[in-house]
Every structure is written in C-alpha cells, then in structure tokens.
C-alpha cells in the first residue's frame, strides 16, 4: 500500500499528472498509476534512487507503455523496472554506469612491486595493526579504493603518504587532482595537505610532485550552469592519472556517476570519508553503498589520534543508537559535552562578544574571520521554530537591541553570510562564508570579505553577491567539511523526518573542543533512534555484475 499521509509537493502532483496523461491506461488503472508516480516523485526528492514495488505495481507500470525492464533499458522510456525496484530512467542509468565503471576498475590490478621497504619508511612497524599502513597497501595495489574513518583517524595524513609513495613508484610522475564536494571541504583538505607534506620521509623532488591546490568536484569536471552536464565526460575525459576525493559521503549518485564517467582509462580513484556521516543532500547513499559492496577495496581507519574523551564517547553512543548512554554523557559534570542551561538566543548573542568587539575595533580580517569561526550554531532544520532562519532573525534582533549591531538595512558591519548559489564568474560557491565589514581602502564602504583555500582575501560589493543568507546559525548539512572550536547543536521541539542519528553524529563531529546541546530528552532520544534508510539498487548492481557470466 502507498502511504496516503505524505506531504506531496506541487512538483510531485504535476509530474504524476504529466505521466498518467501520457500513459496507455484509463480510469482506475490510470489513477493508480498516477498515485504511484506521485509516490515515486516524492521519494526521489527525499534522496531515494528508486522505490520498491510489488508485482501488482510492476504489471501496472509495464502496462502504462512508459516503462521498460532493465535488460531493455536502451529503449528511451522514462521509467525502468529492475526486479522489485522502479526508477526514473536517468537514475537507473547513473546507478548502472557507476557500478559498471567501478567494477571495471576493481578488476584492474596494478603491477606487483616490492612495497614493504617503502611502506616501512612511511609507516614504521608497530606491535599493533597499523590501519593507515593497511589502507596504503590497498590504495597502492588497486585502481579504486576507499579510506573511511571518523574524525582524527588520519585519513588525510594517510593519503598524503600514499601520494608520496605513488610518485616514488611512478614513471613518469603521476598527474594528480585533489577535490572535494564543497569549497569549505576543499579548503580544509588543502590546509591539511600543506601541513602534512613537510614531515614526509621523502626527497623535496617527490614533495614537489604532490599538489596542494584542492578544487571542488564541479570545477574539476567543468560545470556549465545551468546545464546539468560537464565539460569533462566519457568523450572528453580528465587528464589526471589519480584523483583523490575528500568528504565523499557528501557526493550524490549523479555527481559520482559523472565523475567516474570522466576518468580516463587506467586512472586511479581514492575516496576519503566518514561513512557514518549524513548521506548526500541529493539522491543516493553512495559512500555507504560502496563500502558495503566492496569490502576488499575499503579500509576503515579505527584509531583516532586527536578525537577522544567525552566528545568521542558521546559521538559513538549516538552513532551506535544508544540514546540513554548518549544522554548520560550530557549529564556528567564536565564543560566539554553539556546541555544548554540558559536562554538560547541570549547564549548565542553572548558568544558573539569577541567577534563583534574585533569588528568594532577594526581588527584585521584574518583575526576577525578566525574569531567568528571559533563558535557555530548548527540546526537540524532550515525552516520553522529553532530552525536556521528563525534563529538568525532572533539573534540579529537581540544584538540590535543590545546596540552591538546597527540594522539600518539588510547589510551592516559584522553581518556574517553564507553564499547559497554558485557564481563561477565571481569564484563564489554554495557554502562559502563571508563577513560584511567596512573597507578602509574605500572610505569605510561596506564590503563582504572572503578567505579562499590559499588564505587569500577577496572582497565584493554586497550588491554584486549571488543569493546568500545570514549565518549566525547554519544547518548541520551545510556544516559538513567544517570544524569549529565550539558547537551549539539545536534541535526543534517536535520530531520530523530530518532528525536522524546520522545528522546528530555529523553535528557532534564538527566540534574540536566543546559541544552544547539545546534539545529535550524526548526529541534527542527520538533523533538517536531514527536512522537514514535510502532505497537504492547500487549494492545489488555490484552483485549482478559480479555474478554475470560475461565477467
């Protein structure tokens, strides 16, 4: 039975009506088909690649004249039926092409080389298992590999050593690209690569062959907005011999499929990420599916080198869906993990004291920027009470009432903003953070200042910026790829589908020093108990390819 209580959008209704009117069905069958199409559209918007269907639905869809079985999917019809799954043709194609490409890469072995001596130099032998060394072994011998692990397990440290080892073994040197899904994640990876290169036990010549510049995946592939296509694809592949993608849990099915399609023959791909974090905003749970489907190409780093203590205990309890144990972490007498005891808006306003004082005293941008990024409010939802828009509005009003900002209009000195729409011409991308400050070079005219991955400062007139919003608070989704000294996690007063243990775990692991939670025990418990379950066929596709007699 299809759920009747779902909040279908206008798009869901229009899509369903469009298909049903073009089907070969009439009367009750046409109405049943329209209901199914509406249900499918809704679940696509919720991040599912497909929906599960029963035999009755399968017969109905095939009778519509708008669907084909997977083995006949070369026929250009909008729907594809594969076993008990119904897809939009495009998403079936993404899954299928992704599975075929990765399967081909996993069947390509690198020529055997004596690795132990080189590995000993980068990963000195220890009495216990060195998971970083084990990850390096996989990455050195496979064209496709995944390195997963929680915060502080050394994913970037490991991959820098892998890059050095690969360059030592390569002839000629490899052409390497480093990428991440967002500008913030790219900046963090770039900083980490730069910090780790100096300590490598190799020659300066090898170090010079390891790039420090990290780009976004969209820029790497050559985005051509508003088109969904990229300059680089199967017909115009990337030139790189090796591509490393950080924060791979954020990469959706469509983007991952397009990345794999754009790899040249023989290229390597290394994915880095935490499979326990939130899945991508768009369709799929690609990293989770790939780690489950390809255990021989996946290595989880299990030892944390900087993430420990009660924050780790709290994160682990949430991740393992132990709400009572996680709640007890909040009850212990400590300042690291705690429940918010004071008024929410007053607390947030108080945390902006140092930042706004530096703005008032006209400190350098770098000092102001670092002060702002020390503390961040992370919300589960964008809309509604205790959502991002609500909190940002109330914090601005509070600060204005305290005469710490001056709201004469939309723009004011000290306004922090987040870009919400890509603008390649200005080199500003969704998720970039800027601060509105007086520009001494232009008679204190208000400008919005940004710091890029290289630490370079750029500025723009507020009127020239693409769509943006105030960011005293941001969603946990938007915080992925970032870290803050102190984090305030805010959950709403009522349960909703967004609240999951993955969301909470992701928010907790953004904090380096302290976590404060604003939530009731009932909402917290419900959140920890709820898990993301996305319907995909990716794991099954790997099994199908493996079991195929042609392989």
């Amino acid at each position: 039975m299809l759920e009747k209580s779902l909040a279908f959008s206008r798009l869901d209704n229009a899509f369903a009506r469009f298909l049903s009117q073009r089907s070969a069905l009439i009367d009750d069958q046409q109405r049943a088909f329209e209901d199914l199409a509406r249900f499918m559209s809704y679940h696509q918007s919720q991040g599912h690649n497909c929906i599960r269907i029963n035999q009755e639905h399968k017969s109905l869809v095939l009778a519509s004249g708008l669907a084909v079985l997977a083995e006949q999917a070369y026929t250009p019809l909008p729907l594809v039926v594969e076993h008990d799954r119904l897809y939009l043709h495009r998403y079936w194609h993404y899954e299928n092409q992704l599975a075929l490409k990765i399967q081909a890469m996993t069947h390509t072995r690198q020529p055997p080389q004596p690795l132990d001596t080189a590995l000993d130099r980068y990963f000195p032998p220890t009495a216990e298992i060195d998971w970083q060394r084990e990850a390096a072994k996989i990455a050195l011998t496979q064209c496709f590999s995944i390195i997963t692990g929680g915060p502080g397990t050394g994913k970037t440290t490991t991959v820098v050593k892998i890059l050095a080892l690969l360059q030592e073994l390569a002839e000629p040197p490899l052409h390497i690209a480093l990428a991440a899904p967002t500008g913030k994640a790219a900046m963090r990876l770039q900083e980490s690569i730069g910090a780790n290169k100096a300590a490598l036990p190799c020659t300066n010549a090898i170090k010079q062959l390891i790039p420090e510049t990290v780009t976004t995946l969209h820029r790497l592939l050559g985005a051509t907005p508003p088109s969904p296509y990229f300059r680089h694809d199967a017909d115009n592949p990337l030139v790189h011999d090796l591509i490393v993608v950080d924060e791979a849990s954020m990469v959706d099915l469509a983007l991952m499929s397009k990345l794999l399609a754009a790899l040249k023959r023989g290229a390597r791909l290394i994915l880095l990420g935490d499979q326990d974090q939130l899945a991508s905003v768009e369709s799929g749970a690609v990293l989770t599916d790939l780690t489950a489907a390809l255990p021989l190409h996946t290595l989880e780093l299990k030892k944390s080198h900087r993430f420990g203590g009660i924050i780790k205990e709290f994160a682990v309890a949430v991740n393992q869906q132990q709400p009572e144990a996680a709640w007890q972490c909040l009850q212990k007498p400590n300042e690291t993990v705690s429940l918010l005891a004071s008024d929410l808006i007053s607390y947030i306003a108080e945390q902006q004291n140092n930042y706004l004082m530096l703005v008032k005293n006209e400190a350098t941008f770098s000092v102001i920027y670092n002060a702002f990024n020390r503390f961040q409010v992370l919300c589960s939802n964008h809309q509604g009470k205790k959502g991002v828009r609500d909190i940002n509005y109330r914090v601005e009003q509070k600060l204005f009432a305290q005469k710490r900002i001056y709201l004469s209009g939309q723009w004011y000195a000290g306004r922090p903003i987040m870009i919400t729409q890509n603008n390649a011409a200005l080199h500003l991308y969704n998720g970039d953070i800027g601060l509105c400050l007086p520009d001494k070079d232009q008679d204190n005219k208000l400008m919005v200042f940004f710091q890029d991955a290289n630490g370079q400062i750029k500025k723009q007139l507020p009127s020239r910026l693409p769509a943006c919003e105030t960011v005293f608070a941001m969603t946990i989704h938007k915080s992925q790829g970032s870290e803050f000294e102190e984090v305030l996690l805010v959950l709403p007063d009522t349960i909703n589908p967004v609240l999951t243990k993955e969301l909470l775990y992701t928010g907790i692991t953004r904090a380096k020093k302290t976590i404060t939670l604003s939530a009731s025990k009932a909402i917290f418990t419900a959140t920890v108990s709820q898990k993301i379950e996305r319907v995909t066929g990716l794991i099954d596709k790997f099994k199908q390819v493996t079991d195929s007699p042609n392989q």
Side-chain angles (χ1 to χ4, degrees), residues 218-219 221-231 421-425 428-429:
H218 283 80
R219 191 180 298 181
L221 290 170
T224 56
S227 163
Y229 303 106
F230 294 97
R231 287 197 303 274
Q421 183 181 56
N422 293 334
N423 187 314
L428 291 174
Y429 298 92

Side-chain angles (χ1 to χ4, degrees), residues 131-132 135 145-158 188 245-249 271-278 287-288 291 298-307 312 315-316 319 480 483 505-506 509-510:
W131 296 109
Q132 294 186 6
S145 54
I146 305 171
I147 301 174
T148 71
T153 51
K155 295 184 291 292
T156 308
T157 303
T158 304
R188 274 194 61 205
V245 179
D246 195 17
E247 298 290 351
S249 63
L271 302 180
L272 307 178
D274 185 347
Q275 63 181 343
D276 294 322
Q277 283 189 25
L278 279 168
L287 185 67
T288 300
T291 56
T298 302
L299 200 291
E300 180 184 0
L301 303 180
K302 300 177 182 179
K303 182 178 180 181
S304 182
H305 299 275
R306 63 167 173 80
F307 187 73
K312 182 179 180 181
V316 168
N319 191 40
Q480 285 183 273
E483 280 188 332
Y505 172 84
T506 301
T509 54
R510 300 310 90 207

Side-chain angles (χ1 to χ4, degrees), residues 182-459:
T182 66
K184 283 190 298 181
M187 186 182 299
R188 274 194 61 205
L189 178 60
Q190 185 159 308
E191 291 169 351
S192 186
I193 294 283
N196 280 284
K197 270 176 67 170
L200 290 172
C202 61
T203 65
N204 285 330
I206 293 296
K207 291 177 185 179
Q208 293 301 315
L209 294 173
I210 301 173
E212 289 188 22
T213 301
V214 183
T215 185
T216 63
L217 282 170
H218 283 80
R219 191 180 298 181
L220 175 70
L221 290 170
T224 56
S227 163
Y229 303 106
F230 294 97
R231 287 197 303 274
H232 292 288
D233 54 21
D235 296 323
N236 180 32
L238 295 161
V239 299
H240 305 91
D241 304 301
L242 166 64
I243 295 175
V244 176
V245 179
D246 195 17
E247 298 290 351
S249 63
M250 298 171 66
V251 183
D252 62 80
L253 173 65
L255 185 56
M256 189 68 82
S257 179
K258 291 172 183 179
L259 170 64
L260 268 293
L263 296 182
K264 72 177 184 179
R265 184 182 295 274
R268 293 173 180 261
L269 178 64
I270 300 174
L271 302 180
L272 307 178
D274 185 347
Q275 63 181 343
D276 294 322
Q277 283 189 25
L278 279 168
S280 57
V281 175
E282 302 297 333
S283 293
V286 179
L287 185 67
T288 300
D289 285 350
L290 292 179
T291 56
L294 300 167
L296 297 181
H297 296 264
T298 302
L299 200 291
E300 180 184 0
L301 303 180
K302 300 177 182 179
K303 182 178 180 181
S304 182
H305 299 275
R306 63 167 173 80
F307 187 73
I310 194 165
I311 293 183
K312 182 179 180 181
E313 182 183 341
F314 187 42
V316 168
V318 167
N319 191 40
Q320 294 180 351
Q321 294 188 282
Q322 299 173 345
E324 195 57 44
W327 189 258
Q328 287 305 311
C329 291
L330 295 161
Q331 307 302 311
K332 294 178 181 179
N334 71 92
E335 296 181 355
T336 306
V337 175
S338 60
L339 279 168
L340 181 65
S342 55
D343 175 70
L344 175 64
I345 302 304
S346 297
Y347 177 80
I348 297 170
E350 184 181 343
Q351 293 298 312
Q352 307 304 325
N353 281 342
N354 185 48
Y355 161 65
L356 292 173
M357 186 60 68
L358 291 169
V359 172
K360 182 179 179 181
N361 293 337
E362 301 181 347
T364 64
F365 172 74
S366 294
V367 170
I368 295 173
Y369 186 78
N370 290 336
F372 175 75
N373 279 294
R374 176 194 63 81
F375 167 80
Q376 186 60 56
V377 181
L378 303 181
C379 302
S380 59
N381 294 75
H382 193 271
Q383 305 289 348
K385 187 178 179 183
K386 293 189 178 178
V388 166
R389 292 190 66 177
D390 172 57
I391 287 178
N392 280 324
Y393 174 78
R394 289 198 284 155
V395 168
E396 280 185 328
Q397 295 302 312
K398 184 77 171 180
L399 293 173
F400 176 62
Q402 295 173 341
K403 298 183 178 180
R404 290 153 67 196
I405 62 171
Y406 299 93
L407 291 175
S408 57
Q410 180 184 14
W411 295 97
Y412 55 87
R415 184 191 180 198
I417 62 102
M418 174 184 282
I419 300 296
T420 58
Q421 183 181 56
N422 293 334
N423 187 314
L426 296 178
H427 301 290
L428 291 174
Y429 298 92
N430 189 357
D432 287 351
I433 300 292
L435 302 178
C436 184
L437 302 168
D439 185 1
K440 296 177 185 177
D441 298 332
Q442 300 191 47
D443 297 324
N444 283 331
K445 178 188 292 186
L446 289 178
M447 300 287 285
V448 181
F449 292 74
F450 299 85
Q451 183 172 300
D452 65 20
N454 296 312
Q456 299 297 311
I457 298 169
K458 56 187 178 183
K459 55 190 176 183

Side-chain angles (χ1 to χ4, degrees), residues 69-131:
L69 295 171
E71 52 267 29
Q72 301 166 332
Y74 51 83
T75 306
L77 291 177
L79 304 175
V80 176
V81 175
E82 185 171 47
H83 304 299
D84 64 342
R85 301 186 299 273
L86 175 64
Y87 292 84
L88 285 173
H89 194 289
R90 180 164 45 131
Y91 287 90
W92 177 86
H93 175 76
Y94 288 149
E95 269 198 3
N96 203 54
Q97 291 305 302
L98 180 62
L100 288 171
K101 180 73 176 188
I102 293 179
Q103 195 71 39
M105 293 178 72
T106 60
H107 287 164
T108 304
R109 299 288 187 268
Q110 294 301 309
Q113 299 187 52
L115 298 177
D116 286 343
T117 302
L119 284 167
D120 286 347
R121 187 155 37 89
Y122 286 87
F123 305 94
T126 59
E128 57 184 13
I129 296 177
D130 186 341
W131 296 109

Side-chain angles (χ1 to χ4, degrees), residues 53-70:
I53 56 174
N54 57 29
Q55 189 58 46
E56 181 183 348
H57 290 145
K58 185 174 181 178
S59 299
L60 180 70
V61 170
L62 292 174
S64 73
L66 298 177
V68 292
L69 295 171

